[in-house]
């Protein structure tokens, strides 16, 4: 077992030949880019990447791992208004992917946002309407097994950081 919990971590420094079965990288500020460059030992069975900034677990799809990626806290950045309606904001959820390439369930959306999932759009989107001033918003997600959960903070227009 190897635990690097609560310490900023450079994923490229992990040797791929470590004989470990469990790796704890929770609270290490691990980003999507960091996950892509992580050297995963062939002996690894359990990976804990909770309390980080993950929105895309697909780099782990080729491994037979038990993954714990709960409590992600992601600052997406600014969503710009729709070109035809300056009070409408549309967030494409293609950046949010579970290990099996599906979009996790959206379980809460702030500020009256609505999940739209229909044939006209390839990916589900969240739509906020009647937003007339810059607004901090968020949504929460969870996959069916509950091992990939989190909150994504977004700015609808240019606002200060979301708390």
């Amino acid at each position: 077992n190897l635990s690097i919990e609560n310490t900023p971590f450079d994923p490229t420094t992990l040797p791929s030949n470590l004989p470990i079965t469990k790796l704890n990288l929770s609270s290490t500020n691990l980003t999507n880019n960091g996950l892509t460059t992580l050297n995963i030992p062939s002996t690894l069975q359990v990976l804990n990447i909770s309390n980080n900034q993950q929105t895309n677990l697909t780099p782990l799809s080729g491994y037979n791992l038990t993954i714990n990626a709960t409590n992600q806290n992601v600052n997406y950045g600014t969503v710009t208004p729709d070109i035809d309606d300056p009070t409408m904001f549309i967030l494409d959820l293609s950046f949010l992917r579970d290990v099996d390439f599906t979009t996790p369930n959206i379980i809460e959306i702030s500020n009256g946002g609505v999940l739209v999932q229909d044939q006209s759009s390839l990916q589900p989107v969240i739509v906020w309407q009647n937003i007339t001033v810059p607004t901090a918003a968020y949504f929460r997600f969870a996959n069916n097994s509950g091992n990939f959960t989190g909150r994504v903070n977004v700015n609808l227009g240019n606002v200060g950081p979301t708390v």
Side-chain angles (χ1 to χ4, degrees):
N1 294 351
L2 177 61
S3 181
I4 308 176
E5 187 175 9
N6 296 316
T7 306
F9 169 70
D10 177 358
T12 61
T13 62
L14 184 70
S16 59
N17 62 350
L18 277 179
I20 57 173
T21 58
K22 294 180 182 175
L23 177 59
N24 184 353
L25 298 177
S26 66
S27 303
T28 57
N29 295 325
L30 188 66
T31 62
N32 288 331
N33 287 342
L35 187 61
T36 303
T37 60
L38 181 64
N39 292 320
I40 297 180
S42 60
T43 55
L44 194 65
Q45 298 170 3
V46 178
L47 177 63
N48 182 354
I49 53 173
S50 293
N51 301 301
N52 282 300
Q53 302 160 33
Q54 296 298 312
T55 60
N56 184 356
L57 299 185
T58 61
L60 301 174
S61 65
Y63 299 94
N64 186 19
L65 295 173
T66 299
I67 301 165
N68 184 12
T70 57
N71 243 5
Q72 302 302 312
N73 190 7
V74 178
N75 291 318
Y76 178 85
T78 300
V79 179
T80 56
D82 184 70
I83 218 161
D84 297 321
D85 180 354
T87 69
M88 182 166 66
F89 295 81
I90 301 172
L91 178 63
D92 179 338
L93 295 179
S94 60
F95 71 94
L96 185 62
R97 288 284 170 263
D98 199 353
V99 69
D100 64 359
F101 294 85
T102 61
T103 302
N105 303 309
I106 306 304
I107 55 175
E108 178 186 1
I109 305 172
S110 74
N111 302 80
V114 176
L115 181 66
V116 177
Q117 218 165 355
D118 60 25
Q119 275 81 22
S120 68
S121 112
L122 296 174
Q123 304 296 334
V125 297
I126 296 176
V127 178
W128 286 271
Q129 292 181 297
N130 302 316
I131 304 293
T132 57
V133 296
T135 302
Y138 68 89
F139 69 91
R140 293 184 188 279
F141 66 89
N143 65 0
N144 289 335
S145 59
N147 69 335
F148 181 34
T149 65
R151 173 179 163 144
V152 177
N153 303 305
V154 297
N155 295 323
L156 306 177
N158 293 314
V159 295
T162 304
V163 179

